[in-house]
Amino acid sequence: MAETYVTTAYERLQIAHLRWKKRLQKWISRSREKVSFVLIPNDEKPLAQIEISVGMLGFLFGLSISLVLLSFGLLLYFSFFFERNLSLEKKTETQLVSFLFYDLLSKDLRESVEELESMTESLNLLAWEEIPEKEMITQDYLLKEEFRKDASELDSNLLLFQQVVTTYTQFGVRLGNLVPNFQNAIDYLSMRESIFYSMPRGRPLKPGVGVVTSTFGYRSDPFGILPVGEYHSGIDFAAGEGTPIYATGPGIIAVDTAVGGLGKSVRINHENGFFTLYGHCSLILVNPGDRVKRGDKIALVGQTGKATGAHVHYEVRIGLDAPLDPEEYINLD
């Protein structure tokens, strides 16, 4: 009986390795073979010949098949298995509409800011006469841009968002600069308005009542006592005795007794250091401490004190300074 030979596992592995190595070498040898493609043009140009290896041709064929299968798989997936996230789409559309709305709103806001800047500059020129708005203290440090402005056309929600943020940041800086400048001008004009309305203005008699018999400044002595004349510290309005005398500005009654040669007189203390005197009154209608408004009746025309006839002596002063010419304040209106 013949003896049988049994191969070991190692030997079987070596045999399989040699077989696959032989097959691989055969495949590599065949893949290196060239395949020629001849292109025949319609005109009389020479023929074009393209050579490609069998291996490369097989690779391109496999790649094409893979792409076709992948495309078909994606088509099946999006046609039958893909589920749209409707909530996310709706949220995205809402955000897009919101950004577009704010983008349109920013255009209107830009026009409003430019108009406000022009008005603020005019206001500052009116208030400060020669100091334009651009020379006032600015506050550029209040806000800083977080995005760089992209001049290209918007092609995504992110770029639109960046432009909206940038635009509103710029407006925030410009408005931050306008507010203090505008407020400074308003405060200054309010102070000037307060001074204007608190200072004496107009005549102590009604319009058309009384005539000016003596103006402010040096004049001859109406009594003929002083040959060189005298300094007249106010304006005299002659009127019939008992004619009402009115306050020329708001203030507080300070004096209702005789002051020098003014006889019965009234002093009104106004704001900002102004005060007015009304002399030669026949009757005082107010008491010390009373608060009066411009146009309130305070006394009646008379000829008490050093007077040659019925009239009211009207003076305007500031603190302890020399008397001011009342005509400048009478003509303020």
Side-chain angles (χ1 to χ4, degrees):
M1 185 176 184
E3 184 178 352
T4 60
Y5 177 76
V6 179
T7 59
T8 64
Y10 177 73
E11 292 175 335
R12 289 195 297 272
L13 183 61
Q14 282 186 326
I15 294 172
H17 171 70
L18 292 174
R19 288 176 180 175
W20 280 107
K21 184 177 180 180
K22 185 176 181 180
R23 291 175 184 176
L24 180 61
Q25 289 176 349
K26 184 178 180 181
W27 183 85
I28 292 175
S29 176
R30 292 188 60 184
S31 65
R32 289 177 178 175
E33 296 177 358
K34 300 290 185 180
V35 177
S36 299
F37 294 92
V38 179
L39 301 179
I40 304 176
N42 293 328
D43 51 14
E44 297 180 354
K45 293 180 180 180
L47 300 178
Q49 183 176 351
I50 300 175
E51 291 185 354
I52 187 171
S53 64
V54 175
M56 179 59 68
L57 186 62
F59 171 76
L60 294 177
F61 179 76
L63 181 62
S64 302
I65 295 297
S66 300
L67 292 176
V68 171
L69 293 177
L70 179 61
S71 301
F72 184 71
L74 291 175
L75 180 62
L76 290 178
Y77 172 74
F78 284 106
S79 299
F80 300 101
F81 302 101
F82 177 74
E83 294 183 0
R84 297 169 56 187
N85 193 334
L86 298 179
S87 61
L88 180 60
E89 291 181 3
K90 184 176 181 180
K91 183 177 180 180
T92 303
E93 291 177 357
T94 303
Q95 290 178 347
L96 178 60
V97 171
S98 177
F99 288 145
L100 290 175
F101 169 76
Y102 282 109
D103 185 55
L104 294 175
L105 188 63
S106 65
K107 296 178 181 178
D108 296 334
L109 184 59
R110 180 182 294 107
E111 296 178 359
S112 300
V113 170
E114 291 174 353
E115 182 179 2
L116 182 58
E117 286 177 338
S118 176
M119 294 174 61
T120 302
E121 184 169 352
S122 300
L123 181 61
N124 279 286
L125 287 173
L126 176 63
W128 307 103
E129 296 182 353
E130 296 182 355
I131 303 179
E133 178 267 338
K134 293 180 181 178
E135 295 181 11
M136 302 291 287
I137 297 175
T138 58
Q139 295 184 359
D140 290 335
Y141 57 85
L142 290 178
L143 294 172
K144 297 297 181 184
E145 294 186 17
E146 296 181 4
F147 297 96
R148 293 182 180 179
K149 188 174 182 180
D150 189 359
S152 62
E153 293 294 330
L154 299 178
D155 55 2
S156 68
N157 291 352
L158 179 60
L159 290 179
L160 179 59
F161 174 74
Q162 291 180 0
Q163 187 186 43
V164 171
V165 171
T166 299
T167 301
Y168 275 87
T169 302
Q170 292 174 347
F171 289 152
V173 173
R174 293 167 70 178
L175 287 174
N177 293 335
L178 284 175
V179 169
N181 296 335
F182 191 83
Q183 190 61 48
N184 287 340
I186 290 296
D187 292 343
Y188 180 71
L189 291 178
S190 298
M191 180 182 67
R192 288 178 59 178
E193 183 182 33
S194 174
I195 293 174
F196 178 75
Y197 281 104
S198 65
M199 68 172 52
R201 294 181 291 126
R203 307 167 80 247
L205 304 179
K206 282 187 175 181
V209 177
V211 285
V212 176
T213 55
S214 183
T215 57
F216 177 81
Y218 284 96
R219 67 176 182 177
S220 60
D221 186 1
F223 294 94
I225 299 175
L226 301 175
V228 295
E230 66 175 359
Y231 181 79
H232 190 229
S233 58
I235 293 180
D236 291 343
F237 293 88
E241 190 163 345
T243 301
I245 300 173
Y246 301 95
T248 57
I252 299 175
I253 303 300
V255 178
D256 64 347
T257 56
V259 178
L262 294 181
K264 292 183 179 181
S265 62
V266 177
R267 169 173 167 165
I268 302 179
N269 291 334
H270 308 280
E271 292 182 6
N272 304 303
F274 283 95
F275 69 88
T276 51
L277 287 174
Y278 310 78
H280 307 301
C281 303
S282 62
L283 180 64
I284 306 298
L285 304 178
V286 290
N287 299 310
D290 288 349
R291 186 177 294 275
V292 295
K293 301 185 299 294
R294 182 170 180 254
D296 285 351
K297 187 189 297 185
I298 57 174
L300 303 177
V301 172
Q303 49 185 332
T304 57
K306 186 180 178 182
T308 58
H311 71 282
V312 57
H313 172 86
Y314 178 59
E315 286 187 24
V316 178
R317 294 174 178 258
I318 299 180
L320 300 177
D321 294 343
L324 304 173
D325 187 354
E327 185 177 357
E328 297 179 4
Y329 298 89
I330 290 173
N331 295 328
L332 280 177
D333 289 340

